[in-house]
Amino acid sequence: MRIATWNVNSIRARQERIGAWLDRSDADVLAIQELKCRDDQFPREIFDSRGYEVAFHGLNQWNGVAIASRVGLSDPQIGFAGIPEYEGVVEARALSATCGGVRVHSLYVPNGRELDHPHLAYKLEWYRALTADIAGQLAADPEKRIVLCGDFNVAPLDMDVWDMAAFDGATHVSPPERAAFTDLLGAGLQEVTRQFTPGPGVYTYWDYQKLRFPKKEGMRIDFELASSVLAEAAVSAQIDREERKGKGASDHAPVIVDYDL
């Protein structure tokens, strides 16, 4: 089964590119983040016309997550147990569904903004709640096939950014954020992309500003985290850097993992 994750940074702006990518990628499941649209604005014809079932959750012009599957899609669930609010709202950042026997989560982790910003405390609480939820699921069923796909907004290792000096005093690389990511792995998950796409200099995101992409100044913040049983079935992975090129590209590249199930 080929499972991909992609922060598309506005699904309506990226419709043609997403359709063309699906046609050539042979993805069985695609977890999508940053839809930037309400549910009534979601362009589901991209997926319907290609034989994909799709579940989606968007509240406004920010955030939003979706899962598209051509191997079945059942029991879609918005959010997770204990998901925190920000400014009184549970944002559209988490969606899960069962696809081909795998519980797939599409996650758009909060950014954090700045080290002294309330959004960082929210981000860390979001991680704690997600970790507790996943730990509970795997404690109840250690053989469960789970994969967390998405934009985790953490660069776990120094080599996951182009220059650590450029991130001095910034989010995404701070010890509390990296600890939160490590704790999530400790819930019973393995990050399955790096073994097939080793770094340094291997990134999934390049800011639009300051010519970051041609300068190769990126970050590795998009991952697939699989439960132990599923991680053992991972046989290959790739980061589709080509999809970051050209007019109308998202600032993230699709991340693709093949599982031998």
Side-chain angles (χ1 to χ4, degrees):
M1 184 186 300
R2 173 163 288 183
I3 301 177
T5 183
W6 189 8
N7 178 323
V8 298
N9 190 8
S10 179
I11 193 166
R12 290 180 292 168
R14 239 62 73 186
Q15 290 184 58
E16 291 187 8
R17 292 193 67 132
I18 293 167
W21 186 85
L22 286 171
D23 291 341
R24 69 173 181 272
S25 69
D26 198 33
D28 295 303
V29 180
L30 174 61
I32 310 167
Q33 302 84 45
E34 209 169 351
L35 304 181
K36 292 186 174 180
C37 70
R38 302 186 308 268
D39 282 354
D40 64 305
Q41 299 171 315
F42 185 87
R44 64 176 305 147
E45 63 274 6
I46 303 170
F47 308 99
D48 292 345
S49 63
R50 291 172 171 83
Y52 287 84
E53 298 178 74
V54 61
F56 47 90
H57 175 48
L59 298 176
N60 48 39
Q61 73 271 32
W62 308 113
N63 311 317
V65 283
I67 299 170
S69 171
R70 64 180 187 187
V71 291
L73 190 154
S74 62
D75 191 23
Q77 177 183 335
I78 294 170
F80 49 83
I83 187 170
E85 298 179 349
Y86 185 68
E87 297 183 340
V89 176
V90 177
E91 297 181 307
R93 293 183 175 274
L95 178 70
S96 62
T98 299
C99 307
V102 177
R103 191 67 185 175
V104 178
H105 294 250
S106 182
L107 304 172
Y108 182 36
V109 176
N111 178 282
R113 300 181 186 173
E114 299 171 357
L115 294 183
D116 58 353
H117 197 285
H119 207 259
L120 181 61
Y122 164 58
K123 178 180 188 174
L124 297 177
E125 179 57 29
W126 206 92
Y127 260 110
R128 283 191 289 270
L130 176 63
T131 299
D133 180 73
I134 296 301
Q137 289 189 50
L138 291 175
D141 182 3
E143 301 300 307
K144 189 172 185 178
R145 291 172 171 171
I146 299 177
V147 62
L148 276 57
C149 303
D151 176 356
F152 288 85
N153 268 318
V154 171
L157 304 178
D158 287 358
M159 68 176 177
D160 294 337
V161 297
W162 78 90
D163 181 3
M164 278 296 293
F167 288 82
D168 185 34
T171 59
H172 291 62
V173 300
S174 71
E177 292 168 281
R178 287 180 166 178
F181 187 86
T182 299
D183 288 346
L184 179 57
L185 293 176
L189 303 172
Q190 298 179 41
E191 198 284 292
V192 294
T193 64
R194 196 184 299 272
Q195 59 184 319
F196 304 108
T197 57
V202 178
Y203 307 128
T204 64
Y205 164 82
W206 302 258
D207 197 303
Y208 289 130
Q209 300 180 11
K210 299 182 180 179
L211 299 174
R212 294 297 189 201
F213 185 67
K215 290 180 180 178
K216 301 181 180 179
E217 295 178 348
M219 303 173 67
R220 186 173 192 148
I221 57 176
D222 303 85
F223 302 99
E224 292 193 19
L225 314 183
S227 59
S228 296
V229 170
L230 185 60
E232 292 174 358
V235 293
S236 66
Q238 58 182 296
I239 298 167
D240 189 356
R241 191 177 182 276
E242 293 297 307
E243 187 54 41
R244 178 60 177 81
K245 297 179 179 179
K247 184 178 180 179
S250 171
D251 45 4
H252 293 252
V255 177
I256 307 158
V257 181
D258 291 320
Y259 299 90
D260 182 3
L261 302 181

